[in-house]
Amino acid sequence: MKEKILITGGTGYIGSHTAVELIDAGYEVEILDNLYNSKAGVLERIEEITGVKPNFHEVDLRDAEALAKVMAEGGFGTVMHFAGLKAVGESVEEPLRYYENNVGGTINLLECMQEYGVHKMVFSSSATVYGDPGEVRYTEEMPAGRELSSPYGRTKYFIEEMLKDAARSDADFRVTILRYFNPIGAHKSGLLGEDPNGRPNNLMPIIMKVVAGEIPELSIYGNDYETNDGTAVRDYIHVVDLARGHVAAMQKLDGGERVQIYNLGSGKGTSVLEMVKAFSEAAGVALPHKVVARRPGDLAEFYADPSKANAELGWHTEHTIEEMMQDTINYLRKSGVEV
Ligand code: UD1
């Protein structure tokens, strides 16, 4: 019997895909989520794909008592920690709520893990912790925490630092920090995908709303960057590749360094215009768009150097941009959107 894993934020976009990959790899998973930005129906979707419906706890990480109950009864070997708020603009408006949820929630989680003897964690971090490093290909050795563009980004950075301190003080604690680039796409089945509550901020969810007719057109934030076509370049990674990166990272948690950090990205940059073109081709319809001013805080270009994860985790991205688009369209169609 493989160990049991608690997934915080497990009904969310990345957490749910990771739950599927873990179940497929033979692990028993339990999901904890406050359903603030996800739906309980995801649990049935996971069951439809894997044949297994994970045990679910509707718990907020800020509720230490409820969390302790889950941890006391769980017998978990590892916690995969996805739960957190992630809207960049909102974090500027309401920074304390972000610190309370993300940092405060993680403190509760770590205290609880300590109390109930759970020593291993995989943490969802973000390439945003690199700030504005002045280079475009990010390696894990580059300094993090400088010139971060939002309170959201700072919560990720502060949590990383907190995890390092926790590991310094506890010889048994093992944590792997995964810095994501830009996850997009959906599960092949079309049953899981990105479905944020409220108005989205990220490129793909906005494109999805344009196709669904809920937003009239995509606003491209700037075409005067120093990139090939003037639009900003990012490293898009298929969410299933990202989920598999978590499984690989978790399998390497035992032994080794107390803290490990990996970039999870494809290593390839794609511009906004290239994304629009790829989506239109996959959907067979033109995507309405216009160019507007740059978005404050956006960088012109960055992508991962994924070689550390490639070499040490034996993990590589497998999906192309075309597959990311096809899977997104399949998900939209299964959700009832005509495209
Ligand atoms: C953003 C956040 C980052 C966060 C990440 C995941 C900012 C400055 N950065 O990254 O901190 O970790 O989301 O939540 O908010 N774009 C458009 N039009 C749109 C939306 C996006 O042209 O309507 C462009 C952006 O300028 C960017 C690219 O599409 O070049 C991707 O944008 P997005 O999905 O928001 O991700 P990031 O900006 O990379």
Side-chain angles (χ1 to χ4, degrees):
M1 191 64 194
K2 289 193 179 168
E3 68 175 9
K4 198 158 148 194
I5 295 151
L6 179 67
I7 308 179
T8 76
T11 45
Y13 175 47
I14 303 170
S16 61
H17 284 85
T18 304
V20 166
E21 295 304 315
L22 285 168
I23 293 168
D24 281 350
Y27 293 94
E28 188 180 345
V29 309
E30 292 198 12
I31 288 177
L32 180 148
D33 205 301
N34 64 1
L35 300 180
Y36 173 75
N37 198 26
S38 60
K39 300 180 179 79
V42 163
L43 299 162
E44 275 96 55
R45 305 286 183 99
I46 294 172
E47 184 180 20
E48 219 175 314
I49 295 168
T50 63
V52 177
K53 189 170 177 188
N55 238 346
F56 177 61
H57 309 276
E58 187 177 341
V59 168
D60 191 301
L61 288 180
R62 290 168 299 175
D63 183 349
E65 231 172 84
L67 183 61
K69 198 162 172 288
V70 173
M71 205 66 83
E73 291 166 5
F76 304 110
T78 299
V79 173
M80 290 226 178
H81 180 30
F82 296 90
L85 299 176
K86 65 178 193 81
V88 173
E90 190 181 70
S91 79
V92 176
E93 308 286 321
E94 301 171 77
L96 300 183
R97 186 156 78 87
Y98 271 66
Y99 289 114
E100 191 201 10
N101 271 274
N102 294 7
V103 180
T106 305
I107 293 173
N108 281 346
L109 181 61
L110 288 168
E111 283 177 345
C112 223
M113 288 171 66
Q114 222 167 38
E115 186 167 346
Y116 293 99
V118 183
H119 300 297
K120 295 184 289 180
M121 176 184 271
V122 176
F123 174 62
S124 285
S125 190
S126 164
T128 194
V129 302
Y130 291 112
D132 184 359
E135 283 174 59
V136 296
R137 190 174 173 83
Y138 292 4
T139 65
E140 292 85 348
E141 288 72 41
M142 283 172 24
R146 292 189 193 162
E147 293 183 58
L148 301 189
S149 60
S150 70
Y152 156 75
R154 274 184 283 281
T155 66
K156 290 293 178 191
Y157 176 67
F158 292 159
I159 292 170
E160 286 197 4
E161 293 303 298
M162 221 161 66
L163 292 171
K164 290 180 194 167
D165 284 332
R168 281 184 199 110
S169 73
D170 177 357
D172 295 327
F173 188 62
R174 293 285 177 284
V175 59
T176 293
I177 292 166
L178 300 177
R179 293 177 177 160
Y180 309 160
F181 283 69
N182 292 58
I184 64 167
H187 193 265
K188 276 265 165 301
S189 62
L191 292 168
L192 296 176
E194 188 162 18
D195 185 17
N197 293 335
R199 199 187 158 79
N201 307 287
N202 297 114
L203 180 63
M204 269 324 278
I206 291 173
I207 290 180
M208 290 158 78
K209 293 243 183 257
V210 173
V211 180
E214 292 173 43
I215 296 178
E217 60 188 334
L218 169 71
S219 295
I220 296 180
Y221 296 141
N223 66 352
D224 55 353
Y225 285 108
E226 294 209 353
T227 58
N228 280 343
D229 60 24
T231 63
V233 168
R234 295 288 181 274
D235 183 340
Y236 298 94
I237 171 172
H238 195 295
V239 65
V240 170
D241 282 331
L242 186 66
R244 289 178 184 157
H246 288 72
V247 181
M250 197 199 69
Q251 288 170 338
K252 260 210 91 201
L253 263 179
D254 292 304
E257 304 281 323
R258 291 187 198 178
V259 181
Q260 316 211 41
I261 301 181
Y262 295 102
N263 285 340
L264 293 185
S266 71
K268 188 176 165 291
T270 306
S271 74
V272 180
L273 273 178
E274 286 168 337
M275 292 292 282
V276 169
K277 186 163 176 281
F279 186 88
S280 302
E281 281 175 8
V285 290
L287 186 82
H289 61 274
K290 64 174 179 202
V291 176
V292 301
R294 293 181 180 188
R295 179 171 66 179
D298 270 354
L299 298 178
E301 176 169 12
F302 64 85
Y303 46 89
D305 177 342
S307 50
K308 187 172 178 226
N310 297 162
E312 294 183 14
L313 302 178
W315 167 89
H316 296 83
T317 56
E318 291 168 13
H319 296 80
T320 61
I321 291 282
E322 288 66 36
E323 289 169 303
M324 299 177 207
M325 296 306 179
Q326 278 157 9
D327 291 340
T328 302
I329 291 161
N330 183 39
Y331 173 70
L332 281 171
R333 288 184 178 142
K334 282 247 166 165
S335 315
V337 175
E338 273 180 45
V339 46

